[in-house]
Amino acid sequence: MLTQSQEINSSFVAKDFKLLGVDKKYYTLNSIKGPKATLICFICNHCPYVKEIIYDLVKETNELRKYGISSVAIMPNDVNTYPEDSFENMILFSKSNKFNIPYLYDEEQNIAKSYNAVCTPDFFGFDENLVLKYRGRINNPKNKNDRELFSSMLSIANKKDIPFNNPSIGCSIKWK
């Protein structure tokens, strides 16, 4: 079902987690936190909206790293209902799309719930103090040159006003 992300809650602070990555290592919020900003992306393997933006997401997260902005992707879907989102398929998806960021499995769906994530993709941009500054989309579907996510994350890292905060639209998270 097509779902739109919720409006930004400017008092929201990133919630800690300990999740297994496709590299079979565990990651916490502290272990992935960037020196200037942190991007948390809720994605999955099967969603056509994720598939449409995955090349851009990999490109953007690689470039953001150069500016002290770290990124992580979290897969929150119920894999019993959507086996294409299984951990094994996460590994394949990560490899085939050349991820250079941790791709983590939220098996119990507690992290997605604690962030109020509602769709895939759903992007959360935090400042150096892990306060939410951006909740939006990767770019304007009508003008992919906008680079909304990239511009907003750079603004966060440079402590400037966020130029964009447009909702992300994607598949609803598949809750258990």
Side-chain angles (χ1 to χ4, degrees):
M1 173 166 53
L2 185 63
T3 303
Q4 181 173 304
S5 67
Q6 300 168 356
E7 290 187 26
I8 188 171
N9 173 353
S10 59
S11 64
F12 184 83
V13 177
K15 309 293 184 206
D16 198 12
F17 53 79
K18 183 178 181 185
L19 296 172
L20 181 64
V22 295
D23 60 359
K24 309 236 170 85
K25 296 178 185 173
Y26 281 91
Y27 292 85
T28 64
L29 178 60
N30 194 49
S31 70
I32 61 94
K33 181 181 180 282
K36 293 188 175 185
T38 303
L39 173 64
I40 297 179
C41 316
F42 288 90
I43 67 168
C44 69
N45 308 331
H46 87 275
C47 173
Y49 297 95
V50 171
K51 288 178 179 180
E52 184 178 319
I53 60 96
I54 199 64
Y55 174 82
D56 289 338
L57 180 60
V58 169
K59 182 180 99 185
E60 301 291 5
T61 57
N62 286 339
E63 194 170 338
L64 287 170
R65 184 180 304 122
K66 298 172 190 172
Y67 297 95
I69 303 165
S70 72
S71 305
V72 63
I74 299 174
M75 200 299 293
N77 280 348
D78 176 10
V79 300
N80 293 320
T81 306
Y82 286 84
E84 54 267 52
D85 289 335
S86 71
F87 187 74
E88 294 75 21
N89 286 328
M90 286 174 62
I91 295 169
L92 297 173
F93 188 77
S94 174
K95 285 181 183 174
S96 69
N97 288 290
K98 300 181 175 122
F99 279 26
N100 284 320
I101 63 171
Y103 189 23
L104 313 179
Y105 182 29
D106 184 10
E107 183 174 9
E108 301 300 318
Q109 301 182 312
N110 294 330
I111 305 311
K113 288 176 184 172
S114 72
Y115 278 75
N116 297 313
V118 295
C119 60
T120 58
D122 204 350
F123 301 105
F124 295 75
F126 297 91
D127 67 13
E128 76 278 5
N129 297 313
L130 297 172
V131 175
L132 184 63
K133 298 292 183 184
Y134 178 80
R135 182 155 187 198
R137 59 192 183 190
I138 195 161
N139 56 37
N140 181 340
K142 294 178 182 163
N143 181 2
K144 295 192 180 214
N145 294 324
D146 277 353
R147 296 183 80 188
E148 291 183 17
L149 178 69
F150 184 81
S151 298
S152 297
M153 292 307 298
L154 278 186
S155 293
I156 292 169
N158 292 314
K159 300 178 183 181
K160 295 182 179 176
D161 288 338
I162 311 307
F164 300 101
N165 251 316
N166 295 312
S168 184
I169 296 174
C171 295
S172 62
I173 290 179
K174 310 310 182 220
W175 303 108
K176 293 180 183 178

